[in-house]
Amino acid sequence: MSTLVCITCPRGCTLNVEQVNDEWQVTGNSCKKGYEFAINEMTAPKRTICSTVKTTFKNAPVLPCRVSADIPKDRIFDVMKEINKVVVNKPLNRGDVIIENVLGLGVDVISTSNLLTQI
């Protein structure tokens, strides 16, 4: 049996998850989202990444960014290596793509700020 804390809402339910005869049993959840979170966490955990990329702008040496959707948890460090290679040299708006389809995962790394358009 595994114990997890659900992160899908502020309630933070303590979930007990157990696989019995190829079927997952979840207890402790207050809603359906908790059940789904537990199953996903046990079978294919995903996470989001928020980070920064380097820029060539003296007044803004870094630009905040994030991935456009959750990625497999075991690929976080691989994606971070790709993010760390980037140096932005042109103004970007919030939502502009910095790295398209990073590592073929079907998600983009996008800007989360208009910081560079204000320089």
Side-chain angles (χ1 to χ4, degrees), residues 41-62:
E41 192 64 12
M42 298 305 292
T43 59
K46 292 186 174 191
R47 297 292 185 270
T48 192
I49 294 177
C50 296
S51 188
T52 57
V53 291
K54 297 174 195 165
T55 78
T56 58
F57 297 92
K58 182 180 176 185
N59 294 336
V62 294

Side-chain angles (χ1 to χ4, degrees), residues 10-74:
R11 192 175 276 154
C13 297
T14 300
L15 309 174
N16 294 307
V17 188
E18 186 174 21
Q19 189 173 19
V20 178
N21 300 326
D22 295 331
E23 205 170 302
W24 290 100
Q25 295 181 350
V26 180
T27 58
N29 56 303
S30 297
C31 66
K32 185 178 177 181
K33 288 181 182 180
Y35 176 84
E36 292 168 358
F37 168 79
I39 302 301
N40 289 336
E41 192 64 12
M42 298 305 292
T43 59
K46 292 186 174 191
R47 297 292 185 270
T48 192
I49 294 177
C50 296
S51 188
T52 57
V53 291
K54 297 174 195 165
T55 78
T56 58
F57 297 92
K58 182 180 176 185
N59 294 336
V62 294
L63 176 70
C65 65
R66 68 174 175 85
V67 289
S68 60
D70 290 345
I71 62 167
K73 185 178 176 182
D74 63 351

Side-chain angles (χ1 to χ4, degrees), residues 1-2 27 30 36-37 51 54 85 88 105-107 116 118:
M1 182 176 298
S2 296
T27 58
S30 297
E36 292 168 358
F37 168 79
S51 188
K54 297 174 195 165
K85 292 177 187 177
V88 173
L105 295 173
V107 300
L116 296 182
Q118 300 168 3

Side-chain angles (χ1 to χ4, degrees), residues 104-117:
L105 295 173
V107 300
D108 300 328
V109 176
I110 60 172
S111 169
T112 60
S113 173
N114 290 326
L115 176 67
L116 296 182
T117 59

Side-chain angles (χ1 to χ4, degrees), residues 83-116:
I83 289 172
N84 290 335
K85 292 177 187 177
V86 172
V87 179
V88 173
N89 59 10
K90 64 181 182 180
L92 296 174
N93 289 304
R94 181 180 293 121
D96 285 352
V97 174
I98 299 169
I99 305 172
E100 187 173 351
N101 191 20
V102 65
L103 298 175
L105 295 173
V107 300
D108 300 328
V109 176
I110 60 172
S111 169
T112 60
S113 173
N114 290 326
L115 176 67
L116 296 182

